[in-house]
Amino acid sequence: MICINNKTKLYSVLKLKCPKCHQGNLFINNAWNYHNTLAMPDKCFVCRQDFKIEPGFYSGALWVTYPIVLIVVFLSLFPLIFIPDYYLMVFLVMLLVVLVTQPFVMRYGRAIWINIFIHYDIGYEQ
Ligand SMILES: [Zn+2]
């Protein structure tokens, strides 16, 4: 397993932790809870960092999510280019991959977005 320094933004994004303290969770539910996959607490349970910074703050995360979706689509299409003449199957596999990965992509998009604006505070080091 890859060991990531818990003071880096990469740690906060990959573990979906608060960008300020790297301890509190960014999301309330797990990703498979499709109805509430993006439910976030108002504030971090550890450092009280506000996660609802301003109305519409996470609409900017779409700019982060879009390239991630493109990478997922291209990675899912790559093995299928070796199977010509099955365009419907290629489309269905790509659609399935996008639907299954969508909650994770949206969560990581939000985690990257909030990490752009909020930085690690060494005062919360364990
Ligand atoms: Zn925190």
Side-chain angles (χ1 to χ4, degrees), residues 6-7 19-23 119-126:
N6 68 353
K7 296 178 186 72
K20 187 173 180 183
C21 67
H22 292 188
Q23 295 172 48
H119 306 289
Y120 180 64
D121 185 344
I122 200 162
Y124 291 99
E125 192 172 347
Q126 289 177 331

Side-chain angles (χ1 to χ4, degrees), residues 110-124:
R110 282 189 174 205
I112 292 169
W113 188 249
I114 196 169
N115 266 281
I116 291 172
F117 299 99
I118 298 174
H119 306 289
Y120 180 64
D121 185 344
I122 200 162
Y124 291 99

Side-chain angles (χ1 to χ4, degrees), residues 44-58:
C44 175
F45 294 121
V46 177
C47 69
R48 310 304 298 160
Q49 167 63 47
D50 189 5
F51 289 157
K52 310 273 167 90
I53 296 168
E54 63 184 27
F57 174 75
Y58 291 105

Side-chain angles (χ1 to χ4, degrees), residues 62 64-76 98 101-102 105-106:
L62 293 173
V64 176
T65 304
Y66 182 63
I68 298 173
V69 170
L70 287 180
I71 291 169
V72 168
V73 166
F74 282 116
L75 288 178
S76 66
V98 168
T101 58
Q102 192 61 26
V105 168
M106 289 190 302

Side-chain angles (χ1 to χ4, degrees), residues 33-47:
N33 188 340
Y34 264 64
H35 294 290
N36 293 312
T37 192
L38 293 177
M40 300 172 77
D42 290 337
K43 295 182 182 300
C44 175
F45 294 121
V46 177
C47 69

